[in-house]
Amino acid sequence: MTLLSRDAERTQLDGALAACMRGDTGIVLVEGAVGCGKSALLRHCADAAHRHGAATLRAAYPDCATDLTTAVGAVPERTPVVVCLDDIDQADAASLGRLTAWVRTTSHTARVGGLLLVLTAADAPSRDAGLDTELLKHPAYTRIRVGLLDRPATAALVHQHTGAPAARAVADGLHRISGGNPLLLRALLSEPGHVPEPGGPFSRAVLTCLERCGAAAPRLARALAALGDSATTERIASVLRMTPTEAARTLTALRATGLALGDRLRHAATAAAVLDGMDPTEREELHRRVARVLHASRAEAAVIADSLRACGGIDDSDESGDSGSPGTDWVVPVLREAAQQAMAVDEPERAAACLQLAHASCATDANEHARGEIMLQLAALTWRLSPAAAEQHLEEPLAALRAGRLGAATAGHLARLLVAQGRIEEGAEALSRTTGTDALRELFALPPGGSHPTPPGGAHLSACAALWTHPGHQDDAKDAERFLDGAPAVQGTHEALAQAVRTLIHTDQPRRAAEWCRRLQEQAARRRAPGLRAMYGTLHAEALLRLGDLAGAEREASTAIRAVAGRGGHFRSAPVAVLVMALTDMGRYDEAARHLEPLVPERTLATVHALPLLRARGQYFLATHRAEAALGEYLDLGRLARRWDLDRPRQYPWRTDAAEALLRLGRHQEATALIAEQLALPDATGARLRGVALRLRAATEMPRERTRLLTRAVAELRGSGDRLELARALADLGRGFQTLGEGTRAGSVVRRAWGLAADCGAAPLCEKILPGQDPGAPGSARGTVGVDKTGRLSESERKVAALASAGYTNREIAAELFISTSTVEQHLTRIYRKLHISRRRDLPLDLEFDPCESAPLRS
């Protein structure tokens, strides 16, 4: 057998054996920590003695000490004798006494053939001192100390075990776990992938080492495992109810085995092995004692909370016989402080676990106020993990509010959380118990903005609705951008950040909203916050839907739904609504229906997330030729929006939605009235809202007025960023031109409408515009290729190209732009060259186009 890194020890043994072979008497004690190779050295000595012709006597335990004299006497006088006794530290007191007496006798006896006694003993605080003293008296006593392997020796042992040189990182990792203890290292090498598994060889080797380190070693190791990085000699002694000197002595033995490093167990796998080997009840009791000791020694709240969580908490019945026990009043405050510390380092799961245990540790009657506050903390925290769980956490404080057992400050906090979950009316109910309506704005840190008239529900309802709509003045978008640019994405600002993003979407800035959502989603992903990822993902999907990017909207909405799968609660309706609208516009009606079917509980209508869901249902019904059903959904949306002070046309244009359903039903007069009602509202501003209203109103007019209104609608929608609505308006305008006999212009506008619809992925609209044309066919979305090159055009060239693409003749372009026909032809020649095209019909379809534009160009 190869003894790695034991050259010096082997040389000493060989020297003692040589002296024995010359007729000398000697004693060698090989000592060291458990598992460090003492037995291997003993075997080396026995094998060498046998090769040299010496008589070898072996025993695992020296309980045969009484027979040693007889056994040695039976060997011929001239034959050297080597006696090998392993693990003498494991012998009972009587056997050790007899061995001590025999050693004393050998000091005065000599054999012609020589005598060598080789003993091994593990370091242990309880080892018999009498034998050690007697050994020291012997004139030929040699003490060989066996220690832990260093890193090069560890690498050599790995090489011997695996048959291949070990990479430095691998050897270092194995040394870090084993501490250089050969027994632990060999156990580790026998694990799959050299990774310790629960109950595997490494765990068993750890427990073996502890058992052989003395009676106190397993207890001390358990205390170390439970204390973790907070272990000190004083805390260990307090947990084990022993003196610091006793604790220090046993700790020294554990360091010698490689199990401990300083005042801690060397590796998490070692700690796991120690704790897993305990009875569950004893393990919980240990963690309770540790929690009390940590609290008494003023440890960090987070550290104490770990022990409290490991034992499931402490109540008044868990005094454990400790005299002067500090009671349990400290438990809940410590857990709440630990939750705050966990949130500060962005560990929401740990914070939630602390709060849940704090809630369970509160007596129902005595600490109802604390219980309510904890549930509010849990709701605020767990929304980012599980919106459904957050909703449940508010039920208890809401019941306490209605029973009159919630203070004003706590009611304000409850109002904030209810509104954040979209529960407007319940939020207003809670807000009415506070000192004023400004409380919610302060709690949400809302960006500055205008105010709305007080709704029938009162000022409290209006304050609660403010989070879910935009202030309603001309600087909304600028205020939202400034807020997004300056506010950090931290606990307490996410609701306001979401409101700012919604403001950008509803003020015709969907592209900017999408950019902000991407940034916020990345931050939420880094923080492991699925609820926040879903919230920002839903807003991202809505922004993409407003841009006419149906595939992108489907992707983001689906991702948001998956992020909160099984834990979305009422919030899940929001991403589902966007997904259904995207699928409907793409003509994937069966898929849209599957997402709508499960969402029928009445409870859903109690949150603002019902509003986009109702709109999505209406859109689906309208697309599947159920205009009456669609009308019902839109009118329900309108009733809820008015009830919650959320009747903002830019956000929920239910009147024009209902008008479209009425037009399908032939009820033109009612449709016209709703459109007029919407346009008369103070909030009825924005290019998209006006463009859609004008397009629908045009359907009720005579051909020439219809074309005029549609021309204005196209001009409005061009600046809104909504390509799908622009495609609808262009399609109607093309049909209007056709009705007026302007075939050339009609054909160009229709082709442009079809190209935009195809680019959006709106198959039903493509089919409606140009039946039978496949939007997925190569080259079918004419005009999208080469758009990036239009940046090469001058402003004059862009205007000419836009009008030419829209179907205007050279003469008509000249008249519109107040230039000569020759100048138009020159512009077109340069445009073709810059865009690498050869004819008019290859011009991009999504160039900026305003049929009303007539600003003159210079020749």
Side-chain angles (χ1 to χ4, degrees), residues 266-600:
R266 177 176 288 275
H267 195 268
T270 307
V274 170
L275 292 175
D276 290 346
M278 295 182 67
D279 174 80
T281 302
E282 292 179 356
R283 186 168 55 241
E284 287 183 7
E285 179 54 35
L286 171 63
H287 283 298
R288 288 192 188 96
R289 291 203 307 273
V290 167
R292 289 187 185 280
V293 168
L294 289 172
H295 175 253
S297 59
R298 300 187 177 182
E300 287 281 335
V303 175
I304 305 172
D306 287 344
S307 292
L308 290 170
R309 288 167 53 204
C311 67
I314 300 175
D315 58 35
D316 292 329
S317 65
D318 293 324
E319 295 300 325
S320 309
D322 294 343
S323 58
S325 212
T328 59
D329 291 345
W330 54 273
V331 171
V332 172
V334 162
L335 287 167
R336 294 181 71 177
E337 183 182 351
Q340 291 178 339
Q341 292 174 354
M343 284 306 302
V345 295
D346 215 21
E347 295 181 350
E349 295 91 349
R350 187 175 181 179
C354 289
L355 289 175
Q356 286 165 350
L357 183 56
H359 181 263
S361 301
C362 287
T364 305
D365 298 327
N367 296 312
E368 183 173 17
H369 178 70
R371 284 173 62 86
E373 288 185 342
I374 292 169
M375 292 305 283
L376 295 181
Q377 283 182 284
L378 260 174
L381 169 64
T382 55
W383 200 99
R384 60 187 294 177
L385 302 172
S386 169
E391 292 167 6
Q392 291 299 315
H393 289 322
L394 294 188
E395 296 308 315
E396 183 180 314
L398 186 58
L401 173 85
R402 289 167 176 165
R405 299 193 303 269
L406 215 60
T410 308
H413 192 192
L414 174 60
R416 176 189 188 278
L417 295 173
L418 287 167
V419 174
Q421 292 180 8
R423 299 158 72 171
I424 300 294
E425 288 180 294
E426 290 171 316
E429 179 187 355
L431 192 60
S432 67
R433 310 294 179 93
T434 63
T435 54
T437 57
D438 290 335
L440 206 68
R441 179 169 292 278
E442 294 170 4
L443 284 169
F444 277 116
L446 295 178
S451 58
H452 304 294
T454 300
H460 298 116
L461 193 64
S462 179
C464 292
L467 181 68
W468 290 94
T469 186
H470 47 82
H473 64 92
Q474 60 182 3
D475 292 326
D476 279 354
K478 293 179 182 178
D479 288 341
E481 284 271 12
R482 279 194 293 267
F483 183 76
L484 286 163
D485 195 45
V490 296
Q491 185 79 7
T493 65
H494 291 293
E495 296 88 352
L497 290 169
Q499 188 222 27
V501 171
R502 278 193 294 269
T503 298
L504 290 178
I505 294 173
H506 301 143
T507 52
D508 295 339
Q509 299 292 326
R511 196 171 300 281
R512 291 293 299 148
E515 291 171 5
W516 278 109
C517 284
R518 274 191 287 271
R519 298 184 202 177
L520 293 166
Q521 283 174 280
E522 289 172 2
Q523 294 181 41
R526 287 196 298 270
R527 291 174 177 171
R528 306 184 308 278
L532 294 179
R533 286 207 312 273
M535 179 179 75
Y536 292 127
T538 300
L539 291 170
H540 193 180
E542 188 177 347
L544 294 176
L545 189 66
R546 283 291 182 98
L547 287 167
D549 183 356
L550 301 181
E554 180 200 6
R555 180 190 66 245
E556 294 299 327
S558 298
T559 301
I561 292 169
R562 286 194 299 271
V564 291
R567 52 186 176 183
H570 303 315
F571 164 77
R572 185 177 179 275
S573 300
V576 165
V578 184
L579 178 61
V580 168
M581 285 190 275
L583 292 172
T584 299
D585 281 335
M586 288 190 283
R588 292 156 59 181
Y589 303 131
D590 290 343
E591 292 178 60
R594 283 198 296 272
H595 286 282
L596 284 175
E597 284 174 356
L599 300 173
V600 292

Side-chain angles (χ1 to χ4, degrees), residues 3-20:
L3 290 173
L4 296 170
S5 193
R6 299 292 186 230
D7 292 344
E9 294 89 341
R10 189 172 61 245
T11 299
Q12 284 181 284
L13 271 176
D14 291 344
L17 178 60
C20 173

Side-chain angles (χ1 to χ4, degrees), residues 105-123:
T105 302
T106 62
S107 302
H108 309 288
T109 333
R111 282 179 54 84
V112 175
L115 173 64
L116 177 63
L117 175 63
V118 184
L119 310 170
T120 70
D123 294 326

Side-chain angles (χ1 to χ4, degrees), residues 223-232 235 263-266 294 303:
L224 288 178
L227 283 163
D229 291 341
S230 302
T232 64
R235 285 173 176 167
D263 290 340
R264 298 163 181 80
L265 292 178
R266 177 176 288 275
L294 289 172
V303 175

